Amino acid sequence: MQEAFLGRLLHLADPALPIGGYTHSNGLETYVQNGMVCDKASADQYVRHNLWYNLKYNDAALMKLAYDATVQENIAELILLDQECNALKGPMEIRQGSQKLGLRLYKIFSRYSKEHTVVEQWEQLIKQKQTYNHYCIMYGLFAAVMNIPLVEAMHAYYYNAAIGMVTNAVKLVPLGQLDGQDILYYLHDDLLKLSEESLVMDRNLIGLCNIGFDIRCMQHERLYSRLYLS
């Protein structure tokens, strides 16, 4: 059966995984309180811009490299990618949130693949406190360990990010549930194109800075009232 990996992929990319993703807005709460995201159109713009100009050049690109390093059983490269991801995340809440989500993802899926060389080595590095365990790195690692094809793993990674942003927008703006579904539905072509482009990303473009996004994430740390942790 060619789609034997599908169940594992749906499990790995499930937005409802008990890792705490629902507690993070990744700066969206600041955009809403500032009035920059206030309706369906501005929410749609926020989600698209975040995917195309932030995720594409950062977490998604690093996820792909982590996948490749795992296939090659190159633990040294995985460590470097984890460190690079940590250095690229300037806002404290975003950096810490990514680490917590990644470690929780690791705790779930490492139980099913402890015999894998990379997982075994990473376990020792965690015990020695030599890793940050960022979510995108852990996702790429386990997608490779579970033999999920990279193109499908990438598509699901983008979908997971998109549905998280849309769900947060529905709650924060707030929007109607059908508004959120409209935004998500009309993103499908974008998600496919993003997945394809991320597979051939120029290594020199990884880490492309997003000043506005980072500023809103930093401002979130000092908002008067907050529903989310980031």
Side-chain angles (χ1 to χ4, degrees):
M1 182 179 179
Q2 293 182 343
E3 293 79 17
F5 65 87
L6 183 57
R8 297 190 296 274
L9 175 58
L10 291 172
H11 191 182
L12 179 64
D14 187 354
L17 271 178
I19 61 176
Y22 68 93
T23 64
H24 298 272
S25 81
N26 294 310
L28 176 58
E29 190 165 20
T30 307
Y31 280 92
V32 172
Q33 288 202 24
N34 288 352
M36 301 173 72
V37 176
C38 57
D39 53 20
K40 180 180 177 180
S42 55
D44 178 81
Q45 185 179 47
Y46 167 85
V47 174
R48 289 178 184 276
H49 284 195
N50 205 331
L51 291 171
W52 277 102
Y53 307 121
N54 176 42
L55 201 69
K56 175 183 176 182
Y57 296 101
N58 290 277
D59 286 19
L62 290 169
M63 187 281 281
K64 188 264 183 186
L65 295 180
Y67 182 105
D68 291 342
T70 303
V71 170
Q72 299 162 9
E73 297 189 357
N74 189 341
I75 196 73
E77 177 66 10
L78 272 173
I79 294 171
L80 290 175
L81 291 169
D82 193 38
Q83 293 173 345
E84 182 176 358
C85 185
N86 196 66
L88 289 172
K89 294 186 179 299
M92 178 190 66
E93 291 179 345
I94 300 301
R95 184 171 62 253
Q96 293 180 349
S98 176
Q99 293 170 0
K100 291 175 181 177
L101 296 179
L103 182 58
R104 290 166 186 161
L105 191 75
Y106 177 87
K107 288 180 177 178
I108 292 174
F109 290 100
S110 62
R111 299 179 303 147
Y112 313 123
S113 50
K114 286 187 177 294
E115 74 286 350
H116 192 283
T117 301
V118 173
V119 176
E120 182 180 2
Q121 292 178 316
W122 200 265
E123 179 79 25
Q124 295 305 313
L125 291 170
I126 290 177
K127 291 178 179 178
Q128 297 165 12
K129 298 183 179 180
Q130 295 183 23
T131 62
Y132 295 106
N133 311 299
H134 282 285
Y135 175 79
C136 60
I137 305 300
M138 295 299 96
Y139 181 102
L141 186 158
F142 285 110
V145 166
M146 292 190 285
N147 296 314
I148 298 169
L150 178 55
V151 63
E152 280 82 6
M154 181 66 74
H155 196 160
Y157 187 83
Y158 273 114
Y159 177 80
N160 175 283
I163 198 170
M165 286 186 275
V166 169
T167 299
N168 289 337
V170 168
K171 294 177 181 178
L172 286 169
V173 173
L175 301 175
Q177 290 292 345
L178 291 181
D179 290 335
Q181 292 305 307
D182 287 345
I183 293 172
L184 189 61
Y185 183 84
Y186 291 110
L187 276 174
H188 286 313
D189 288 343
D190 290 76
L191 299 181
L192 183 59
K193 188 172 182 180
L194 280 162
S195 301
E196 294 170 348
E197 293 187 9
S198 292
L199 298 179
V200 292
M201 173 69 63
D202 184 340
R203 185 65 174 87
N204 294 319
L205 294 178
I206 295 179
L208 193 66
C209 188
N210 299 272
I211 298 298
F213 176 75
D214 282 354
I215 289 174
R216 306 304 171 212
C217 291
M218 292 175 183
Q219 289 174 336
H220 185 268
E221 300 169 17
R222 296 175 175 80
L223 289 184
Y224 180 74
S225 61
R226 304 190 304 174
L227 297 176
Y228 290 81
L229 296 178
S230 68

